[in-house]
Amino acid sequence: MAESLEFSQKVVEAAQAKIDWYNANVMPELVEDYRLFHTCIQNLYDLMIQKSLLKPDPYKLDRKISGIKPLDNTPFIDGERTTIIGARFSEYEAMLDWICTYYKFSIDSLKIPEIKKLVEYNNSFLWNSLSPNNTIPNTRGLAQLVFEMKHGADALTSSSINDILAKIQKATGNLTKILKDLTEFQKEVYKYKIRAQIILNQKFDRANAFASPEAELAAIKKMYSSVFGHEPFYTLLVEEITREDLAGNRDQLQAALLEKLAIKEDAGKNKTQTIDTKEMLLDAVHSLCAQITPFSEVYNKLGENNELLQSASNSFWAQFIAALKKAFGIPDKPIEYELVIVDQAHDTKRKQKVDFNTFRGDLQKKANFYNSFALKTSAGYRKFQEADSAKVLDFLNRQITDIQKAQVLLKAFDDFFKNNAPADKRSKVKGLSMELMAIKNNSVNTNQRRAEYISYVEEQEQMKKLGIQN
């Protein structure tokens, strides 16, 4: 009995240390893989909308998510493919956004039932089997749309699609591996909790429990509900505990368990040494390229809304003069709109005149510039690779600030066109809510990557000052 209790204490100590290690090392990696996964899904979704293969989900902003649930995977006819896959893929992207933003990743919260939900949701589309001949409805439908998008596409678009799909496959591969390892570890966590809260409990009937494996199983089961409430009782895992305590080969089983719970320090140190801070910074810069699609869409919608407003306010004679100017290449006078700028941080409003064409042109320039380094093999991206990290970070900071300012003005333009269009033409105004949401999500992603880079660099600098080397 004393040996069993001593072993239980060793397991408890080792498991607690391993839990802390998982929370500090594996969970951040899991979050990062989900962020990469979400960014790629978002980019693919935006690209399919841009190519008119999908329509923006009108119910996306109204969707309330409170937990992970399976994605509908029922069959549908080919004529409904665009509508069905559009809705399901939008829900898929929204769920990934929720996972990255709100889901708590820890050993305590990520138990086996939750892991199963994540795995099932990840596999709503089988990315390693993305074929138009796949028998799974969602995978087949999405593969057909991707095939249509790639068919006849220019070299840049094809390369972007292939790059996105490759990153998705890599991210899902990492996620699958981590979640599989977590499933196995959670089995040991379950066993550890029984040892900590039942076997080491003073109320546990130790005298009779250690008489035989059957007696220990019965004693554990007797106390289980009073300790763990309605949590499920896994007989097979409890039987593993009894074998580790009382089987003839218990020495081998105990040694194997303690080896499984041991923290491989060397592997962790090697992983830390391989972190490339410049690559972290470049990833943050490259995430700006996700703004290409929403900026381009906003550019087009602003142009249409402006034409709608100008045509409504101009007389026939003014429209005739405008047509003559356009025919002879005479530049128009600048178009200035007085916008109401809302400062949400201070709950104030102010008016600001904005040159419409200049602002709209700057958006297109941004999109074109980001497109120049969208491919990691491009000359534009190589310039960042060769540049000093401090200059690259300064560039990233300025871009984030510019995008934040653009967001404020875009929201003001959205409200302005909706409020100032004539009543009979108001339904024709192109809303910017979808694009604003995409720009915001992309900005959050870029900010997170920048913050992680800065935090890591500052941590390394502090360690150097303290004389600590990795």
Side-chain angles (χ1 to χ4, degrees), residues 120-143:
E120 184 177 1
Y121 205 87
N122 293 350
N123 294 333
S124 296
F125 298 96
L126 302 179
W127 297 102
N128 288 317
S129 305
L130 201 63
S131 166
N133 298 319
N134 196 294
T135 57
I136 308 300
N138 284 350
T139 303
R140 181 177 64 253
L142 181 62

Side-chain angles (χ1 to χ4, degrees), residues 95 106 108 290 412 470:
M95 176 60 72
S106 69
D108 188 52
N470 284 333

Side-chain angles (χ1 to χ4, degrees), residues 221-398:
K221 194 168 188 178
K222 184 178 180 181
M223 278 190 68
Y224 190 86
S225 60
S226 63
V227 174
F228 296 105
H230 296 292
E231 289 191 27
F233 183 86
Y234 296 108
T235 303
L236 292 178
L237 294 180
V238 177
E239 286 177 346
E240 285 186 18
I241 294 175
T242 65
R243 287 196 295 271
E244 290 161 359
D245 286 343
L246 301 169
N249 64 336
R250 60 180 176 273
D251 290 342
Q252 291 90 336
L253 294 175
Q254 289 177 4
L257 176 57
L258 292 176
E259 172 65 20
K260 185 185 291 186
L261 294 176
I263 298 171
K264 305 298 188 292
E265 293 288 355
D266 290 340
K269 288 180 181 178
N270 289 337
K271 182 176 179 180
T272 301
Q273 289 175 348
T274 59
I275 293 178
D276 186 342
T277 55
K278 183 63 177 288
E279 190 61 32
M280 290 177 68
L281 181 58
L282 291 175
D283 280 343
V285 170
H286 193 254
S287 68
L288 292 169
C289 299
Q291 304 288 13
I292 296 171
T293 299
F295 274 14
S296 298
E297 290 294 317
V298 162
Y299 175 85
N300 293 330
K301 286 187 175 182
L302 285 176
E304 293 179 34
N305 290 343
N306 178 62
E307 288 184 9
L308 184 70
L309 201 62
Q310 292 294 316
S311 64
S313 61
N314 287 348
S315 63
F316 172 79
W317 178 248
Q319 292 181 46
F320 176 71
I321 296 297
L324 286 178
K325 285 183 177 180
K326 186 175 182 179
F328 289 98
I330 301 172
D332 289 325
K333 291 182 179 180
I335 300 174
E336 283 192 338
Y337 289 125
E338 189 172 67
L339 307 179
V340 176
I341 308 298
V342 179
D343 185 343
Q344 294 182 342
H346 300 91
D347 195 24
T348 59
K349 295 181 180 180
R350 60 182 174 84
K351 292 184 178 181
Q352 177 180 335
K353 285 189 176 181
V354 178
D355 186 309
F356 174 79
N357 288 324
T358 299
F359 173 73
R360 181 169 173 257
D362 287 343
L363 284 178
Q364 188 61 39
K365 288 177 183 177
K366 282 281 188 193
N368 292 338
F369 176 56
Y370 293 158
N371 196 49
S372 70
F373 58 88
L375 293 178
K376 292 191 175 182
T377 55
S378 64
Y381 190 80
R382 283 197 297 272
K383 288 181 180 179
F384 289 111
Q385 290 176 313
E386 296 165 0
D388 178 73
S389 292
K391 292 182 178 179
V392 176
L393 179 59
D394 181 61
F395 163 80
L396 181 62
N397 291 336
R398 283 186 279 110

Side-chain angles (χ1 to χ4, degrees), residues 8 91 93 111 164 187 220 358 394 402 404 428 448:
S8 289
E91 181 184 346
E93 185 275 327
K111 297 177 181 177
I164 290 171
K187 294 177 183 178
I220 292 172
T358 299
D394 181 61
D402 289 348
Q404 289 171 341
K428 296 181 179 180
Q448 287 174 336

